[in-house]
Amino acid sequence: MSTRNAEPRLPAGSPRRGNLRWAAAAGLVAAGLGVAAGELLAAGVSPSLSPVSGVGSVVIDAVPGPVKDAAIALFGTADKAALLVGMGLVIALAAVGAGLLELRRPPLGAAVLGLFGAAGLAAVLSRQQFSILALLPPVAAGAVAVLVLRALTARIRDLAAARTPEDAAVRRRTVLTSVGGGTAVALLGAALAGIARGGQVGVTALRETVRLPMPVRPAAAVPAGAELAVNGLAPLVTPAADFYRIDTALSVPLVDPDQWRLRITGMVDREVELSYAELLAQPLQESYVTLTCVSNEVGGDLIGNARWLGMPVRDLLARAGVRPGADMVLSTSRDGWSASTPLEALTDDRDALLAVGMNGEPLPLEHGFPVRMVVPGLYGYVSATKWVTELRVTRFADETAYWTDRGWGERGPIKLSSRIDVPGRSPVTAGAVTVAGVAWAQHTGISAVQVRVDDGAWQDAELAPGISADTWRQYRTSVDLAAGEHRIAVRAVDANGVRQAEEKRPVLPDGATGLHTIRVTVR
Ligand SMILES: Nc1nc2c(c(=O)[nH]1)N[C@H]1C(S)=C(S)[C@@H](COP(=O)(O)O)O[C@H]1N2
Ligand SMILES: [Mo]
């Protein structure tokens, strides 16, 4: 039987079309196996930096601030998941292209996958957590992808060379089992990598063994009445699980507390190095501090209040001996992120902390385990470095930090602001309606909160006692509302008598201003 005679008996339409489909699948399987191999290997040899997390971090650092803000606004804390899905789609598209290209113009398709491996390598090389071992996963990922694609494509090409229908069937079965088997292995590998992503499991276990010492100076007691019993009002102390999370880390940096060291460097009389055990052995103190993100829109929820346990940063700086002329401390995290904090905010009486505990527990991994900074009165981007590893005493004139390099203000004092939590979105019944929320002016304090309905007069709300000037305060009042649509606005006055700015300003470059105003439907 001649080849020509055999051809029409090949099932399922044109073999060429079928081959293209196989080639696309081969590309996907090759890329999938490559990614799975890279992530799996990374879980073993380089848990804090894998090819995927490296590329993702480069993307995060590269996108302009406004795009980043839009992504946070759009996806909230799912912004990282959205990025991963996006990366997956890009890789899948390129993989399909590589499969088709490899069938038609070998070895161009393999070269495309090789380039992806090289991109992973470049990304890993550019990261602060870079280590020699971190080079292996992207190399392995690229190599696996290239070899698998070459092997699968060779089999797909073999399809065309079948001389008899029986031969064609055997060859098709070979392609089917290789592609199917490859898919299964890729899925299994991805699942295992996910599980072993598992340095995380290890550090979680280490975190559970930590026993925090009692504070030498406990936090000020929460005054009676500070927590108003209003449904829907943010709790006075935010549980860690509900605390907002903002950082540029695609995968949470995994820091073994026994390996952790903090170095105090720069304009100091002597460099100081501190281990976690040494830090826990210092006299620690506890205080409530309300943390706020500069990206918090008026009325937003990128704010939370917690009880932090730690060592005053000023004690450490004193030990190192700050040289004259310094005016800034550049704190750097394990993943290379940095913040520039005015030296004064770390040495004055505000009790800036090198924190190890949050609400009585060791810091959660995503909030900076094992050690982070907490500085009352300053936005997080200039002060709240998580997974902190170095404090360099320096000068604003000499060095800049992650977000200040990207157009955000050099100093980041938190702006006086307030938020309405209640009523929420659902319609309310006409009559007396409770309005409640929170107001903050960290390190200055709040003296009054006022509420206004439509264009009426401002009326004082009941202001609950505060824990300290560094924490937010709850307020509540009751307004009379007739059926229809109404606007309710809130404004706060700080302890110096300064009234909250009404002018609407965006979060960039140093925090939003304007009054939180809600619309209520009354029935
Ligand atoms: N290492 C590191 N620390 C960081 C950041 C970061 O991106 N990386 N973001 C900062 C910002 S912008 C804020 S608002 C706070 C948020 O702290 P939280 O996630 O514990 O709420 O962390 C700060 N510390
Ligand atoms: Mo932030």
Side-chain angles (χ1 to χ4, degrees):
M1 209 184 277
S2 78
T3 320
R4 202 181 301 161
N5 285 344
E7 284 247 51
R9 292 202 216 161
L10 288 176
S14 133
R16 256 179 72 83
R17 268 261 209 89
N19 286 359
L20 288 183
R21 245 175 264 137
W22 281 124
L28 283 173
V29 168
L33 277 171
V35 170
E39 294 306 295
L40 202 53
L41 188 59
V45 301
S46 171
S48 68
L49 181 59
S50 75
V52 169
S53 76
V55 170
S57 303
V58 167
V59 174
I60 290 174
D61 289 357
V63 297
V67 177
K68 216 172 291 191
D69 292 336
I72 292 174
L74 193 59
F75 300 114
T77 34
D79 56 343
K80 292 182 178 89
L83 172 62
L84 287 174
V85 169
M87 282 171 59
L89 287 177
V90 169
I91 293 175
L93 271 178
V96 167
L100 298 175
L101 204 55
E102 184 64 16
L103 187 67
R104 295 248 167 109
R105 299 242 161 93
L108 282 187
V112 168
L113 293 187
L115 271 181
F116 267 72
L121 192 64
V124 162
L125 271 169
S126 75
R127 305 312 297 171
Q128 172 101 2
Q129 313 99 297
F130 165 76
S131 68
I132 294 293
L133 281 179
L135 293 177
L136 291 178
V139 171
V144 166
V146 165
L147 292 177
V148 170
L149 184 62
R150 302 281 300 168
L152 289 178
T153 310
R155 288 177 185 178
I156 294 165
R157 228 175 271 123
D158 277 353
L159 286 177
R163 295 188 180 259
T164 64
E166 293 72 26
D167 188 17
V170 169
R171 287 172 193 237
R172 248 181 302 109
R173 209 170 305 128
T174 312
V175 171
L176 183 71
T177 43
S178 340
V179 170
T183 307
V185 174
L187 290 178
L188 185 70
L192 284 178
I195 292 167
R197 189 78 222 125
Q200 191 145 332
V201 176
V203 174
T204 302
L206 287 172
R207 175 179 173 273
E208 266 148 29
T209 65
V210 170
R211 291 286 160 269
L212 293 178
M214 294 294 287
V216 171
R217 253 180 62 199
V222 176
E227 181 106 56
L228 298 172
V230 178
N231 247 330
L233 173 59
L236 186 63
V237 181
T238 316
D242 301 338
F243 210 92
Y244 80 96
R245 173 188 169 195
I246 291 288
D247 54 61
T248 61
L250 185 56
S251 60
V252 176
L254 303 172
V255 184
D256 176 344
D258 295 329
Q259 307 292 319
W260 178 87
R261 295 284 183 282
L262 178 74
R263 301 196 315 126
I264 321 279
T265 63
M267 299 170 69
V268 291
D269 294 331
R270 55 210 153 269
E271 292 203 351
V272 170
E273 199 176 277
L274 193 74
S275 72
Y276 189 61
E278 283 162 350
L279 177 53
L280 293 190
Q282 302 303 309
L284 302 184
Q285 67 178 67
E286 216 167 25
S287 44
Y288 289 93
V289 176
T290 300
L291 230 60
T292 313
C293 182
V294 69
S295 296
N296 193 38
E297 302 283 352
V298 169
D301 57 5
L302 301 180
I303 177 167
N305 183 43
R307 180 162 47 90
W308 307 96
L309 173 74
M311 171 184 189
V313 177
R314 75 170 165 267
D315 292 355
L316 259 178
L317 290 175
R319 204 185 288 180
V322 172
R323 294 235 180 103
D327 64 0
M328 185 261 272
V329 172
L330 188 73
S331 51
T332 307
S333 67
R334 168 65 166 270
D335 64 338
W337 187 86
S338 59
S340 49
T341 312
L343 177 63
E344 196 187 56
L346 301 177
T347 51
D348 65 15
D349 63 358
R350 79 181 66 196
D351 291 340
L353 293 180
L354 197 58
V356 293
M358 180 180 191
N359 293 340
E361 301 274 332
L363 294 177
L365 265 51
E366 57 275 27
H367 293 293
F369 181 78
V371 184
R372 75 173 303 170
M373 301 246 294
V374 172
V375 184
L378 300 184
Y379 285 124
Y381 80 105
V382 291
S383 69
T385 306
K386 305 190 271 189
W387 317 287
V388 64
T389 55
E390 186 186 351
L391 302 182
R392 187 154 69 248
V393 180
T394 176
R395 306 189 314 160
F396 276 108
D398 295 341
E399 280 176 283
T400 52
Y402 188 92
W403 284 115
T404 47
D405 281 340
R406 288 162 172 80
W408 294 80
E410 185 175 78
R411 321 260 159 156
I414 297 175
K415 290 179 176 166
L416 163 64
S417 196
S418 52
R419 185 180 78 191
I420 301 172
D421 289 349
V422 179
R425 283 173 205 280
S426 13
V428 297
T429 319
V433 172
T434 296
V435 177
V438 282
W440 59 93
Q442 287 93 324
H443 206 56
T444 303
I446 293 288
S447 65
V449 173
Q450 298 174 320
V451 166
R452 178 179 65 187
V453 176
D454 299 325
D455 293 315
W458 287 101
Q459 62 181 76
D460 280 325
E462 173 200 345
L463 184 59
I467 302 174
S468 80
D470 296 335
T471 62
W472 61 11
R473 285 172 75 171
Q474 299 183 340
Y475 68 86
R476 138 178 85 187
T477 192
S478 176
V479 295
D480 256 317
L481 296 182
E485 297 284 322
H486 296 281
R487 276 176 298 119
I488 305 179
V490 63
R491 74 178 181 192
V493 182
D494 78 11
N496 299 325
V498 175
R499 204 181 271 156
Q500 183 179 337
E502 301 200 11
E503 189 200 341
K504 275 190 195 144
R505 290 222 232 141
V507 294
L508 192 72
D510 56 10
T513 64
L515 304 187
H516 189 207
T517 306
I518 62 165
R519 288 177 186 285
V520 217
T521 305
V522 184
R523 292 204 286 236

